[in-house]
Amino acid sequence: MKTFIIEREVPGASRLSHAELAEISAVSNAAVDSLGVEYDWVTTYVAGDKLYCIHRTDDPETVREHARRGGFPANLVAEVVAEFGPRTAAEAR
């Protein structure tokens, strides 16, 4: 499976309550279950007026279908092609 980052513009996202986030989670889980394909919602980060989601599936259209079924925006769907961090510099030596 490929990994995707999804940017969702949600005005007031950083002010959503725990109960509201739990409801969004339930809707997202139901959308995942309805897809009928391998799909893994890894996590979502809330920052400002945006949600940044990490999902794994085979193609970006499946990510967009998840958004449609859940009623979520998917303003950006980008495939992750590499990952690096602070230890990457030492690995290159």
Side-chain angles (χ1 to χ4, degrees):
M1 285 195 303
K2 299 174 183 176
T3 300
F4 295 91
I5 294 176
I6 303 101
E7 181 181 81
R8 306 183 193 281
E9 293 180 16
V10 179
S14 63
R15 294 187 302 276
L16 291 169
S17 68
H18 183 74
E20 290 169 315
L21 294 173
E23 177 59 28
I24 292 169
S25 176
V27 170
S28 181
N29 288 339
V32 167
D33 291 343
S34 76
L35 291 171
V37 297
E38 194 171 4
Y39 197 101
D40 183 24
W41 169 31
V42 178
T43 195
T44 296
Y45 300 97
V46 181
D49 287 336
K50 295 186 179 180
L51 304 178
Y52 297 94
C53 308
I54 309 297
H55 291 208
R56 291 191 182 112
T57 192
D58 290 328
D59 64 81
E61 188 51 38
T62 305
V63 174
R64 291 183 187 92
E65 182 60 25
H66 169 267
R68 281 190 286 276
R69 291 182 186 200
F72 309 122
N75 304 93
L76 173 72
V77 176
E79 182 180 346
V80 175
V81 297
E83 182 178 342
F84 71 98
R87 291 182 274 304
T88 305
E91 294 169 0
R93 293 184 193 136

